[in-house]
Amino acid sequence: AKCDEAPGKSKILSPSSRHVGDVKIWGTGLLKDPVGLSSHERKRGKGVQHLNSEYWIEGLGVFIADNLPLLRAHLAHTEHSSPEYQYRYFLNQANMLAMRAIVKGLRSAESRELWLMASWCAMAAAEVDRYNYAKYTAEERQEMQKRFYNLYLRESMASATDAPARPEGGKLVAPFARIDLIPPVALERLSLHNELCTLLWSGSVHDWQVEGFKVSKRIDSLKRHLDEAHHKEYEEDAIAHLIWNFMAVFHVITLFPDLNDCLNYEMLRR
């Protein structure tokens, strides 16, 4: 018998009209581009991921791993609530935690943790909101919301009880992180926001990453988009704008602490 027809063995080639060449090799193929789109259109709508701050993504991944029981408690509390309650709950949590970080001047380790928690809550709000993100139908969004809750509440990842300790320390070992648990729809909408920013800013789209900005100015923007999200002003994707501001501020206070002009009001307590 030929090797691709041996009993119990998958065929080398299998037909698939959804893949390039109408074929998959060992079950793997390249998906065709949507029909009827120009080469220019085919490049749109995928997001621009390289404009996401690696410092913020890493910070979020480590934060989620360190605080998973707390995040699960928030989700268990809201899972069976109305969509309106879910959205309001997470958005108000994001607002309150952001304010607590701001009054501490965004300088201490505690304020950075508050900022990351606020980031996560804003992203959770993006998972459960009813914004018309037209890439998906309302039914698809509901299914994605269920998957988001299940990802935290029902899927587990644990090493074997008798496994040796994981390696720690050194430049070739990363801290334990759960980047896989960063809210996926929120991250996708952030990347789409980045793509739209490339249309607006063109060649200067990286300026905030390499030059920074006065942090107080970005706090102004963050608060405006918080208000828009609270009031469900959907002319733009306010939540995506909000998440971008959380990311950008974290990036700048990490790389350019001298540009942090926020006052530490907690130092004024008597």
Side-chain angles (χ1 to χ4, degrees), residues 51-70:
L51 289 177
N52 292 337
S53 169
E54 309 297 352
Y55 299 101
W56 181 72
I57 294 291
E58 178 180 339
L60 264 180
V62 173
F63 176 85
I64 290 170
D66 289 344
N67 295 277
L68 196 50
L70 172 62

Side-chain angles (χ1 to χ4, degrees), residues 104-124:
K104 295 178 183 296
L106 289 170
R107 288 181 174 82
S108 64
E110 181 184 358
S111 66
R112 289 167 66 91
E113 281 211 315
L114 287 166
W115 197 254
L116 288 169
M117 185 65 189
S119 301
W120 184 88
C121 287
M123 298 183 87

Side-chain angles (χ1 to χ4, degrees), residues 153-169:
L153 298 178
R154 291 172 187 88
E155 294 185 16
S156 61
M157 184 187 82
S159 61
T161 55
D162 58 348
R166 73 179 189 88
E168 294 188 30

Side-chain angles (χ1 to χ4, degrees), residues 16-17 102 114 128 141 172 177 209 211 255:
S16 174
S17 60
I102 291 167
L114 287 166
V128 302
R141 284 294 307 276
L172 299 182
Q209 290 179 311
E211 298 176 7
L255 275 188

